[in-house]
Amino acid sequence: MHIHKYEKWWLTFGISSLVLFLVIVGFSAFHYGSHPPTGKIYIDPERVDEIAPFNNPGVHKVEGKDWDFEVVLVASAFYYNPPEIEVPLGSTIKFIATTKDVVHGFQVAGTNINMILEPGYVSEYVTTADKTGEFLILCNEYCGVGHSSMTSMLKVAE
Amino acid sequence: MSKKKEKDSDLKGTLYSVGFVGAFILISWFMAFYLFVDRF
């Protein structure tokens, strides 16, 4: 089979780029454990307020875990509880969130934190806040008439 | 038996256009990846 010299070049270029992308993505997934937020824990959406940890939403300092703070979040039409989150710079945070009614989103603008909150499921995400600032939290799943005003704030201070 | 070798067609322009598209994909992929890595 005759292949033109230039065709060999761009086939090599194309295949090696694909391999490079896959190696980088695979390395960050399997070595650094970067993965989408989990939604494998189930909860009765009717009784969210009574079930721990959602009976006590807020920012909680924890000891002896891989993270320093647990942020327990309950979303409902059309607000987040707690309405504001404040954490110190450099702290590792675990977001534990669910919704009481319909599907909501939990996106922290300007960061990689972006989860879907589904009734009956607990969404979790662990990250280290290594930049100071105020980050807008917003709902990115249409949830009803108040959707556009459903916001909260993540404050990372020194 | 005269098997004349077919003359190679000129693919220089094709090489440049493929290279341009490839470089664009590569650069934009790394820009998006940097954005992901840089954010927390």
Side-chain angles (χ1 to χ4, degrees):
Chain A
M1 190 175 69
H2 172 69
I3 300 180
H4 193 283
K5 181 176 71 175
Y6 289 164
E7 278 185 301
K8 285 183 189 155
W9 288 8
W10 67 64
L11 280 171
T12 313
F13 177 74
I15 293 168
S16 32
S17 315
L18 187 65
V19 171
L20 179 72
F21 294 160
L22 288 174
V23 165
I24 294 174
V25 171
F27 200 73
S28 60
F30 296 109
H31 183 74
Y32 290 109
S34 107
H35 54 75
T38 48
K40 289 177 188 161
I41 309 159
Y42 307 99
I43 185 173
D44 182 356
E46 304 278 325
R47 296 175 44 243
V48 167
D49 289 333
E50 303 155 34
I51 301 168
F54 299 105
N55 52 4
N56 184 21
V59 184
H60 308 298
K61 178 114 184 82
V62 292
E63 302 286 340
K65 291 189 178 169
D66 288 344
W67 44 87
D68 310 310
F69 291 93
E70 282 181 354
V71 177
V72 178
L73 259 144
V74 179
S76 54
F78 301 98
Y79 67 98
Y80 294 102
N81 187 11
E84 199 177 276
I85 301 162
E86 202 170 328
V87 287
L89 178 71
S91 54
T92 301
I93 311 149
K94 183 179 193 178
F95 292 92
I96 308 168
T98 193
T99 164
K100 285 201 278 189
D101 37 46
V102 295
V103 171
H104 292 287
F106 180 79
Q107 176 174 20
V108 186
T111 75
N112 291 332
I113 308 161
N114 188 359
M115 307 193 283
I116 186 169
L117 312 178
E118 296 160 292
Y121 291 85
V122 178
S123 300
E124 298 184 332
Y125 190 74
V126 180
T127 191
T128 301
D130 55 10
K131 283 190 183 71
T132 55
E134 293 193 356
F135 301 90
L136 180 71
I137 299 171
L138 46 96
C139 178
N140 58 10
E141 295 283 342
Y142 184 71
C143 56
V145 281
H147 170 67
S148 59
S149 62
M150 186 166 171
T151 59
S152 175
M153 194 64 91
L154 170 67
K155 291 182 178 172
V156 183
E158 294 216 28
Chain B
M1 204 174 86
S2 64
K3 210 175 173 194
K4 233 175 82 185
K5 196 174 175 285
E6 206 184 311
K7 229 182 118 205
D8 266 354
S9 40
D10 184 17
L11 294 183
K12 206 157 202 166
T14 321
L15 175 73
Y16 289 148
S17 14
V18 167
F20 180 76
V21 173
F24 178 78
I25 293 174
L26 213 62
I27 291 166
S28 29
W29 192 91
F30 275 101
M31 279 163 72
F33 188 68
Y34 172 75
L35 201 63
F36 170 73
V37 169
D38 188 50
R39 294 163 147 198
F40 67 82

